[in-house]
Amino acid sequence: MSTHAPEMPIMVDDETGVWTTDGLPMLYVPRHFFVNNHMGIEEEIGAERYADILYKAGYKSAYYWCEKEAQEHGLSGEAVFEHYMKRLSQRGWGFFIIEHLDIAKGEARVRLEHSCFVYQYGKVNRKVDYMFTGWFAGAMDQVGQSMGLNTATHAVQIQSGAEDGCEFGLFDVAPIA
């Protein structure tokens, strides 16, 4: 296995210890810690209820992140969505590959390889990457709206690498009907 240093700027405030990337505060935690907390909440309230909560929170967070990153890097349009997928991949969530992207139509398909959730859950024959769905819709809506489009989308997970017969996750973003 080959390795490399992080591909994004990480700064640590000498006085507070706060980590930032592109001026946004970040947390650096072990994957097992994060996913075990995720699993614990899922056990208490159920995966479906937890997925609903995460969708809303993730949508809001992705929208905000894309807005701030577009300003920070002078990005617009598809470049913002592409940058978001790149940064998610660089932060260890998995590799996010854009298979289809049409901002004007509010459509995207994202392939997820090496999901941090699949690594922790293993093959459990269900979708375990649902945390990401709201992220994709939030990113799509922010990009579309920043371009003056009346974008309102919804994302769904089509498959997960944790399901039997599946080697990767797939997510679709489409306009709300």
Side-chain angles (χ1 to χ4, degrees), residues 88-143:
L88 291 176
S89 297
Q90 290 172 328
R91 293 196 322 241
W93 293 106
F95 288 150
F96 295 83
I97 301 147
I98 300 169
E99 292 192 345
H100 170 71
L101 180 60
D102 189 327
I103 302 296
K105 290 183 179 177
E107 296 176 349
R109 174 165 274 191
V110 178
R111 178 180 174 135
L112 172 58
E113 297 178 355
H114 304 287
S115 165
C116 64
F117 291 104
V118 173
Y119 280 148
Q120 197 74 16
Y121 278 84
K123 286 285 188 186
V124 293
N125 205 26
R126 69 181 179 92
K127 294 170 182 67
V128 298
D129 317 289
Y130 52 83
M131 181 176 185
F132 304 127
T133 54
W135 299 9
F136 303 135
M140 176 66 75
D141 288 359
Q142 191 284 322
V143 172

Side-chain angles (χ1 to χ4, degrees), residues 6 33 58 72 76 87 99-100 107 116 124 134 139 149 155 163 177:
F33 171 82
E72 175 73 20
S76 62
R87 281 292 199 248
E99 292 192 345
H100 170 71
E107 296 176 349
C116 64
V124 293
L149 303 171
E163 293 178 293

Side-chain angles (χ1 to χ4, degrees), residues 12 17 20 22 46 50 58 65 72 78 84 96 115 119 128 142 144:
V12 181
T20 59
D22 297 331
Y50 192 36
W65 189 95
E72 175 73 20
E78 288 186 5
Y84 188 44
F96 295 83
S115 165
Y119 280 148
V128 298
Q142 191 284 322

Side-chain angles (χ1 to χ4, degrees), residues 9-134:
I10 299 170
M11 302 302 293
V12 181
D13 185 287
D14 290 335
E15 292 181 29
T16 65
V18 172
W19 288 41
T20 59
T21 294
D22 297 331
L24 291 173
M26 307 293 282
L27 298 174
Y28 181 63
V29 299
R31 180 177 66 204
H32 72 274
F33 171 82
F34 182 88
V35 178
N36 285 339
N37 278 278
H38 178 88
M39 293 167 102
I41 295 167
E42 192 178 73
E43 287 173 16
E44 289 295 318
I45 67 173
E48 189 173 317
R49 176 73 180 120
Y50 192 36
D52 289 341
I53 294 167
L54 289 175
Y55 189 97
K56 293 171 193 162
Y59 178 100
K60 181 179 177 180
S61 296
Y63 194 103
Y64 177 82
W65 189 95
C66 288
E67 190 172 55
K68 296 301 178 191
E69 285 290 291
Q71 292 169 359
E72 175 73 20
H73 297 289
L75 301 172
S76 62
E78 288 186 5
V80 177
F81 196 91
E82 291 166 351
H83 179 67
Y84 188 44
M85 295 303 110
K86 178 181 176 182
R87 281 292 199 248
L88 291 176
S89 297
Q90 290 172 328
R91 293 196 322 241
W93 293 106
F95 288 150
F96 295 83
I97 301 147
I98 300 169
E99 292 192 345
H100 170 71
L101 180 60
D102 189 327
I103 302 296
K105 290 183 179 177
E107 296 176 349
R109 174 165 274 191
V110 178
R111 178 180 174 135
L112 172 58
E113 297 178 355
H114 304 287
S115 165
C116 64
F117 291 104
V118 173
Y119 280 148
Q120 197 74 16
Y121 278 84
K123 286 285 188 186
V124 293
N125 205 26
R126 69 181 179 92
K127 294 170 182 67
V128 298
D129 317 289
Y130 52 83
M131 181 176 185
F132 304 127
T133 54

